[in-house]
Amino acid sequence: MNVETLSALLRPCSLKDRVARASALVLDVDGTLAETEGIHRRAFNAAFTEAGLDWYWDHRTYKKLLRTTGGKERIQAFGRTRYPRVFLSDPDVAALHRLKTTHYGRLIAQHTCRLRPGVAALIRNALARGQTLAIATTTTSSNIDELLSVALDRNWRNLFAAVVAGDDVAAKKPAPDVYLEVLARLGHPANDCLAIEDSANGLKAASSAGIPVLISRSEYFRDDDFSGALAVVDELTELV
Ligand code: XBP
Ligand code: MG
């Protein structure tokens, strides 16, 4: 047996062990649990139309805009660069974002967005092993509920010891705030936990909080720089 074959055989096993040994798994939502960013994009566009704006974010534009985490911040960043003479106040942005959030809920309900392969098994196995589960996400709290009550379980909240969303903290990813808040609520040492993320911003956020990170590559962030991650996989099926 050559070295490549041997390491290919060992790698998935040691990764699975690494997942099983963590005291807590801290999960990102968008891109990691489900491919939701395309639905976020459609919800933003529906909100722009409803508000009478002629803005439209195509796939390419949205990919660039995703560098700015958080929907309100993304709207503000787009407005500033594309329409510097138009002043969008914080209340204007908040109102537009509320429209977006309503459209997102409607679209998620309509399309019954599925969990990505391996996610349900990862959650099931973790609970069976007695591991703690938590969520650290940038998205709006109600979006987690819209998604997981349909895609996971109506009582999904009971499965997670801590759920921290973007507006619960002062600064969104890549700042470590959501992860630091999860650690504070769980009381686990950072190094005993494992974060599962799909973006470089998420990797930076969790790493800055001292949590080792596994990356599950997603549609919008496939080509991000993931150096510093424990491992990068295409699907969580590789870890269960
Ligand atoms: C997800 C995001 C979110 C969503 C939109 O990042 O950046 O902003 O795109 O959600 P991550 P809101 O997966 O790293 O947490 O519009 O509700 O802010
Ligand atoms: Mg993500």
Side-chain angles (χ1 to χ4, degrees), residues 184-208:
R185 292 192 196 177
L186 297 183
H188 290 225
N191 203 37
D192 291 352
C193 302
L194 198 58
I196 306 192
E197 274 284 355
D198 72 311
S199 69
N201 277 330
L203 167 62
K204 193 164 173 205
S207 303
S208 305

Side-chain angles (χ1 to χ4, degrees), residues 28-34 36-37 136-138 173 196-199 202 218 221:
D28 169 49
V29 175
D30 294 305
T32 301
L33 298 188
T36 46
E37 284 302 355
T137 176
T138 302
K173 299 174 190 175
I196 306 192
E197 274 284 355
D198 72 311
S199 69
S218 66
F221 299 109

Side-chain angles (χ1 to χ4, degrees), residues 76-156:
Q76 196 65 273
F78 178 78
R80 256 199 312 269
T81 50
R82 193 66 72 84
Y83 302 95
R85 290 207 200 93
V86 177
F87 177 72
L88 278 179
S89 66
D90 285 347
D92 287 342
V93 170
L96 192 53
H97 188 257
R98 273 196 298 279
L99 285 182
K100 179 262 167 175
T101 302
T102 305
H103 282 290
Y104 180 80
R106 176 181 58 78
L107 290 167
I108 283 282
Q110 259 176 22
H111 294 272
T112 44
C113 186
R114 298 235 167 94
L115 295 177
R116 291 187 60 196
V119 171
L122 181 93
I123 290 174
R124 211 172 35 239
N125 294 353
L127 292 170
R129 285 191 290 255
Q131 289 174 293
T132 298
L133 289 174
I135 284 179
T137 176
T138 302
T139 203
T140 302
S141 182
S142 63
N143 294 346
I144 316 171
D145 192 43
E146 300 282 1
L147 175 72
L148 295 187
S149 54
V150 174
L152 183 59
D153 190 294
R154 202 158 44 93
N155 299 315
W156 67 272

Side-chain angles (χ1 to χ4, degrees), residues 30-31 35-50 55-66 70-71 74-75 78 96-97 99-101 103-108 111 113 139 143 219-220:
D30 294 305
E35 284 287 11
T36 46
E37 284 302 355
I39 304 173
H40 280 293
R41 184 176 73 81
R42 290 179 57 193
F44 280 111
N45 287 328
F48 300 153
T49 304
E50 190 179 342
W55 298 6
Y56 179 78
W57 292 352
D58 60 19
H59 188 280
R60 210 161 135 252
T61 307
Y62 194 62
K63 192 171 163 73
K64 283 191 206 144
L65 287 170
L66 278 171
R74 198 167 294 146
I75 291 169
F78 178 78
L96 192 53
H97 188 257
L99 285 182
K100 179 262 167 175
T101 302
H103 282 290
Y104 180 80
R106 176 181 58 78
L107 290 167
I108 283 282
H111 294 272
C113 186
T139 203
N143 294 346
E219 183 191 346
Y220 275 94

